[in-house]
Amino acid sequence: MPLNRKANNTKIALVMLAIMAMASVISFGTKAFAQDSAVEVVQGGTGMDKIIKGTENWGHSKDISVSKFLTNIGKSTGIYKMIHQQTAEEIAQEKAEEAAKEAGAHNTSAFAESAPGWQYLLMIAVGFLIVYLGAAKGFEPLLLIPIGFGTILVNIPGAGMGNAPDGMLHIIYSAGVGNEFFPMLIFMGIGAMTDFGPLIANPKTAILGGAAQFGVFFTLFGVSLMNLIPGIDYNMMQACAIGIIGGADGPTSIYVSGKLAPELMAVIAVAAYSYMALVPMIQPPIMKLLTTKKERLIHMDQLRPVSKTERILFPMLLLVLTILLLPPAAPLIGMLAFGNFVHEVGCVQRLSKTMENELMNIVSILLSLGVGSQMTPEKIINANSLGIILLGLVAFAVATSAGLLMAKLMNVFLPKGKKINPLIGSAGVSAVPMAARVANKVGQEFDPSNFLLMNAMGPNVSGVIGTAIAAGVFIATYGS
């Protein structure tokens, strides 16, 4: 057996062992996320005996359980909801949960403490830093500059721009960020700008986009470990919202945090957009570490032409499958499909151009200002927020690695001449089209004639769908 094949098999074996090791800590993660309601809440508890704030009365309702997970997913499908008639008890339970949620939000806002004045000055300095990174360093300037200004303005003592009910930034946040309206419009614009042709031409690259979501779910266990650190407390819904950072998808991160952990929305959004901006810096070292020079030199065939009919039918088929199998993901995927259908059908170019340009720009400004308005000391200056920054980086690195390793695994079974360049596996994260461009750039560093951009767009756009599906799974499982 050639040495290269032996090396590949060794790496694949290590990956399988890592997956098995992760499965073995499921029970460990269960206890770190939720506690039995019969256990008396003891202040100062540590380690696995610590009661996470906000979970005292959960009981076993949010425990990690494979059977409960599959049951919840099954009950969230459109097929189940179409044939199942809600009982009076289920309707009453839903109303009670909504009332409890609203009461909890009211109590949280009513008893929020004001931070010392120096912390507001510190947050203003952070706002200027974010503006600098966007304007001077070019890190996602369309997003970071408005976020930075929102951070500065909301923390100006006496300005009251974030105060309810009349502060400008509060109005923006309430109008479209806190209720997930702006992320929906962003997904509509993304759909209008996205070309699903490379994915349709080479469907197997969707596996790479799915593999990259491993980083999202892996982070749940990272959050469990972080709960062992004194001063850090994450519950299950917060863990799900943090995990979505691994998809490098800002709108989806905002959407999930708005549904599951609105108190963490600001730091999650900033972390997600920051790692999106840092894709050219974070991914190349991981790509070079996990691939050999021979693998990076693999040339891939030119993609076949995709007919207009295929392009038009793809978003409709995607929407139908979402309706039947995962309705909680329908808001994201539905708007993505709508924007893409309008773009591909060709008879409403005015709508398509508006979605891609004017509407996308306006919503991006408002969304970013609304996110910046949540960058206040009470929400940012604490151990939990610092943990989110670290966990987001871990999630993104694991997602990149999972896409690369999946491509290597697929090559074991693909015939000679049909091998996949593993570099395109790194594009399985949702940062479109930046991740695909990085894969192409790294490939050309070793062979200037090796053009991987279009092949990398397949896993890149499938990563957008995959992250939306992961969001739907979390909301379906833990949203109530």
Side-chain angles (χ1 to χ4, degrees), residues 65-257:
S65 165
V66 174
S67 60
K68 188 178 294 185
F69 173 81
L70 295 176
T71 300
N72 288 344
I73 291 297
K75 289 183 178 180
S76 71
T77 61
I79 297 174
Y80 176 85
K81 292 182 182 296
M82 289 175 188
I83 62 176
H84 175 70
Q85 183 69 35
Q86 273 191 315
T87 64
E89 290 78 9
E90 289 173 335
I91 295 174
Q93 183 180 359
E94 283 188 3
K95 291 181 178 179
E97 289 172 349
E98 284 295 324
K101 185 176 180 181
E102 292 178 4
H106 175 73
N107 292 335
T108 300
S109 60
F111 294 101
E113 297 180 0
S114 179
W118 67 268
Q119 292 188 0
Y120 288 98
L121 294 177
L122 178 60
M123 292 309 302
I124 290 174
V126 170
F128 278 111
L129 175 61
I130 294 173
V131 171
Y132 171 77
L133 292 176
K137 297 299 183 180
F139 294 159
E140 291 290 336
L142 297 178
L143 299 169
L144 291 190
I145 290 177
I147 289 176
F149 268 91
T151 303
I152 295 168
L153 296 174
V154 79
N155 286 288
I156 297 175
M161 294 190 69
N163 293 349
D166 299 324
M168 172 189 168
L169 295 178
H170 174 79
I171 293 172
I172 291 174
Y173 176 82
S174 301
V177 182
N179 57 14
E180 300 96 39
F181 177 52
F182 291 159
M184 296 296 96
L185 295 181
I186 291 288
F187 253 73
M188 185 171 66
I190 291 173
M193 295 188 295
T194 299
D195 180 9
F196 285 109
L199 176 60
I200 300 171
N202 192 4
K204 63 177 176 287
T205 58
I207 298 174
L208 302 178
Q213 307 315 310
F214 181 78
V216 172
F217 293 94
F218 175 86
T219 307
L220 296 181
F221 300 98
V223 175
S224 175
L225 294 176
M226 291 289 284
N227 276 342
L228 299 179
I229 301 175
I232 293 182
D233 299 293
Y234 300 116
N235 60 41
M236 191 66 231
M237 279 87 80
Q238 292 171 338
C240 293
I242 295 168
I244 289 293
I245 298 174
D249 190 330
T252 306
S253 297
I254 293 173
Y255 180 78
V256 174
S257 60

Side-chain angles (χ1 to χ4, degrees), residues 181-182 184-190 192-193 335 338-339 350-367:
F181 177 52
F182 291 159
M184 296 296 96
L185 295 181
I186 291 288
F187 253 73
M188 185 171 66
I190 291 173
M193 295 188 295
M335 296 307 290
F338 170 53
R350 288 175 58 186
L351 298 183
S352 177
K353 292 184 181 298
T354 299
M355 291 178 186
E356 295 179 47
N357 299 297
E358 293 85 356
L359 182 61
M360 189 73 164
N361 292 334
I362 292 170
V363 175
S364 294
I365 293 171
L366 296 176
L367 176 66

Side-chain angles (χ1 to χ4, degrees), residues 274-287 393 396-397 400:
S274 297
Y275 293 134
M276 284 173 62
L278 294 173
V279 163
M281 296 177 60
I282 297 174
Q283 284 197 321
I286 301 173
M287 297 160 71
L393 178 60
F396 185 59
T400 300

